[in-house]
Amino acid sequence: MGITGLWSLLEPVKEDIFLSECKGQRIAVDLSTWILQCALITNDSFARSAKSFLKHRGIFFRAINVSKLGINLVFVIDGPDAPPRKGKLSRQLFFLESQQYKKLLTAMGFLVVEAKGEAEKMCAELNQQKLVDGVLTCDGDALVYGAQVVYKGMFTDKKELRAAKYTMEKVNSILHMGHKDLVAFALLSKGDVSDGVNSVGEKTFLELFKEFERNGVQDILERLKSWGSNPELNELEKRMSEADRMPKKTHCSQCGHEGRKNLHCSSGCPVCETDIGCHSSLQASDKLVGTRVEHLLCPCIYCAAQREVKSHKHELKIRRLALEQNEDFPQCEVINEFLIPQNTLPELSQVHMNRPNFADIYSIVREKLHFSPGQTAEYLIPWIIKIALNGILPNVDVEPVQIIKICTENFETCYRVKWAKLADFDELSEDTGDAYEFNVALSLFESKYPDLSRQFKLQNSSSKKKRKSEQDRDSKQPKITEMFKVSKEVSGIQQASYRAAKP
Ligand SMILES: [Zn+2]
Ligand SMILES: [Zn+2]
Ligand SMILES: [Zn+2]
């Protein structure tokens, strides 16, 4: 569920990107959001085994499709002690279910780490410590937990994977908000971790945020913490209720000062210091600066009291609502949850893929995804070779045997390449062929095997030249069919003349 209204709040910093732009990056994935998304395609009428089948399939193909782009994925699963997810499976059951996907992904060679609590918190900590370059998730909590770059809501568009990108750099430069401001938002708005304050959403928060900016409040979180005991705010609160109770005397619609307009017209206004008539409305001159505004402000007790509380209007209102709902607002445990790191992070040298365990993959996909060995090989071999070419599978040597031809796949220029068999994989795949053959993007192949590519291009161009010169030679000589036609015609004439010669 995340935090209500967070995405609307962050809408001005949203960028739509192709995930392929993240090539070469390490990205942490909150696996629980993938599990929940894959569960959406099932419902209660599905048998348990069908649900498990669809979810395994969903996670298997997502992992393949994203990493194939050259992105190094690190999966994070919720710990057994994470706070309960509203309306979802109990944490313990969800944790047990996650273990199954952990088995599959680990067999595929991915690093899967277990968070102490919320997976998003650990994803954010990995990002804060620069162990990953970004977080791929669906909830926005990762940003509130301190992530610097978040990719949200992966989807496919014209066969390309896309997502919305949010960076703290832009949250800073465009919204002028920092990590603590987002935590303040999470305290006020309803979410997985906080109950929020009733009727406070992103619009109310923005009004409050701007009011804090005008009043020079630097640390919003500290300010919220002081709400229960702040003497200045208590005093203002008192003044506000007094101001609300105060009777407002008649004010001139022209200048906004005490007195009737027609009286000001005939006898002037003491505040405007006129003998006849008065100056135009004070409300419209809010933008004026300097002494003139001071001079024009209505000095009556009612207006003075209103002005005093107006500059803190939003704060006083939200504070009252928050303290009515919970006299201990804001809950320290919520602030700590978002601000204090709690996970043991892996070393940077451990954050990479490992060699896939083919025997484990075969047994899991046979049982959970119902793949035959042939299907497993069909999905896995091109993937393994592509991620190896992209440099994210360091311990697997893939070996191109021969470039067969240049071709196009999904509008991309590719080589059709013959690849040597992967020894330990082959024992299991029941494949009797002597090599694998499939397309690889030309640029990717060339970056890894520049010599082979150059050699192929040379051969290709020399055989083209050869074909061309053969064609040229052919076009200079009369074609066989024409020669044949001509000789037939000649023989026809001869026959005719022979017949004509005969009496
Ligand atoms: Zn007036
Ligand atoms: Zn006046
Ligand atoms: Zn007044």
Side-chain angles (χ1 to χ4, degrees), residues 207-219:
E207 285 166 346
L208 175 69
F209 184 77
K210 284 178 186 156
E211 186 178 282
F212 278 145
E213 269 190 323
R214 283 195 297 274
N215 293 340
V217 175
Q218 301 280 338
D219 190 332

Side-chain angles (χ1 to χ4, degrees), residues 255-257 264 269 271-272 278-279:
C255 69
H257 300 138
H264 284 187
C269 164
V271 182
C272 292
C278 55
H279 297 312

Side-chain angles (χ1 to χ4, degrees), residues 113-116 122 125-126 131 341-347:
V113 289
E114 234 167 68
K116 277 221 171 80
M122 188 168 189
E125 288 173 22
L126 286 165
L131 293 165
Q342 65 169 16
N343 289 288
T344 313
L345 302 180
E347 296 287 321

Side-chain angles (χ1 to χ4, degrees), residues 11 22 41 71 74 95-96 153 188 197 221 243 245-246 254 260 282 364 394 406 442 444 470 481 487:
E11 186 65 24
C22 303
I41 49 173
I71 301 171
V74 178
F95 177 72
L96 289 176
L188 293 166
V197 174
L221 214 47
R245 282 201 305 271
M246 249 177 233
Q254 169 81 11
R260 290 185 185 283
L282 173 67
I364 296 171
I406 294 183
L442 191 146
L444 176 61
E470 276 171 11
T481 47
S487 70

Side-chain angles (χ1 to χ4, degrees), residues 39-47 51:
L40 286 180
I41 49 173
T42 67
N43 61 41
D44 291 343
S45 69
F46 283 65
K51 281 186 189 173

Side-chain angles (χ1 to χ4, degrees), residues 354-489:
N354 291 305
R355 187 180 176 79
N357 184 325
F358 297 126
D360 283 358
I361 297 180
Y362 269 112
S363 95
I364 296 171
V365 298
R366 191 173 50 232
E367 188 200 342
K368 303 287 183 185
L369 286 94
H370 312 163
F371 284 165
S372 67
Q375 280 175 308
T376 311
E378 187 188 321
Y379 295 126
L380 284 181
I381 299 289
W383 169 68
I384 286 169
I385 292 184
K386 276 179 192 165
I387 57 173
L389 286 180
N390 274 310
I392 48 179
L393 199 55
N395 303 323
V396 176
D397 288 324
V398 295
E399 190 193 330
V401 180
Q402 185 199 351
I403 301 175
I404 301 168
K405 60 176 182 181
I406 294 183
C407 55
T408 310
E409 190 179 276
N410 295 337
F411 310 108
E412 192 174 31
T413 312
C414 297
Y415 277 141
R416 185 145 193 92
V417 183
K418 234 181 207 179
W419 299 89
K421 293 247 159 168
L422 296 165
D424 48 353
F425 194 86
D426 222 28
E427 286 165 19
L428 300 148
S429 72
E430 296 171 7
D431 181 3
T432 49
D434 62 342
Y436 315 117
E437 193 182 305
F438 57 85
N439 302 343
V440 179
L442 191 146
S443 54
L444 176 61
F445 188 89
E446 206 164 48
S447 64
K448 191 83 178 174
Y449 304 104
D451 293 343
L452 269 179
S453 177
R454 204 171 23 243
Q455 211 178 328
F456 174 77
K457 281 179 178 168
L458 269 172
Q459 277 173 1
N460 206 26
S461 69
S462 65
S463 63
K464 259 188 191 162
K465 266 184 200 158
K466 205 175 150 195
R467 272 203 303 277
K468 180 127 189 354
S469 65
E470 276 171 11
Q471 277 171 4
D472 289 349
R473 201 183 55 219
D474 288 352
S475 66
K476 276 174 198 154
Q477 289 171 358
K479 291 209 168 112
I480 294 172
T481 47
E482 279 167 9
M483 282 164 64
F484 181 63
K485 219 166 101 190
V486 171
S487 70
K488 257 172 87 176
E489 276 165 11

